Amino acid sequence: SSSAVKQVLKLIRRAFPFQSVMNHPKRVCLYNHLGLCPCPPMFDSPELKKEYRKNIRNVIRVLEGKSKTIIKELEVERDIASAREEYEIALEEQDRKSVV
């Protein structure tokens, strides 16, 4: 049903932010303020583009049913971030893992 699809996309967006419209306005939107959408001004950096592509790949993998591999990757990234003492990043990875 369409309501189930919308609910799944809403949950996925919390873990892996993505744009939901093709012609996004050139300004920052409400979803960006909520941390759910990387707006076009955010794509000026190659690092942010790389992170966005990774998010899209993860969204596709979740929809294909490969969530176990994503969870393992998020755990590895969390462990690396905590070893570097980047605890905020480790917490983000842990939160993403709980959503997937």
Side-chain angles (χ1 to χ4, degrees):
S1 71
S2 64
S3 62
V5 170
K6 289 178 184 177
Q7 187 176 15
V8 167
L9 289 175
K10 187 176 178 181
L11 285 173
I12 291 173
R13 179 177 274 209
R14 282 187 19 206
F16 308 109
F18 61 89
Q19 290 182 354
S20 58
V21 295
M22 291 294 285
N23 297 324
H24 198 284
K26 299 295 182 193
R27 56 188 162 77
V28 177
C29 67
L30 174 65
Y31 284 120
N32 182 272
H33 291 290
L34 298 174
L36 302 174
C37 173
C39 289
M42 304 299 284
F43 293 133
D44 295 336
S45 167
E47 296 169 0
L48 293 175
K49 285 182 184 179
K50 185 177 179 181
E51 183 178 336
Y52 183 72
R53 286 188 194 115
K54 184 177 176 184
N55 282 347
I56 295 301
R57 272 188 262 117
N58 284 334
V59 168
I60 292 169
R61 287 170 39 194
V62 166
L63 294 175
E64 289 176 344
K66 299 177 182 177
S67 60
K68 289 184 180 181
T69 58
I70 295 172
I71 290 172
K72 288 179 185 176
E73 288 178 5
L74 291 174
E75 287 175 349
V76 168
E77 290 177 12
R78 178 198 62 199
D79 294 340
I80 291 171
S82 64
R84 293 182 187 163
E85 297 182 2
E86 297 172 342
Y87 299 115
E88 292 84 10
I89 296 172
L91 181 63
E92 287 178 16
E93 300 300 328
Q94 181 67 29
D95 291 342
R96 284 183 179 186
K97 187 183 105 174
S98 65
V99 171
V100 175

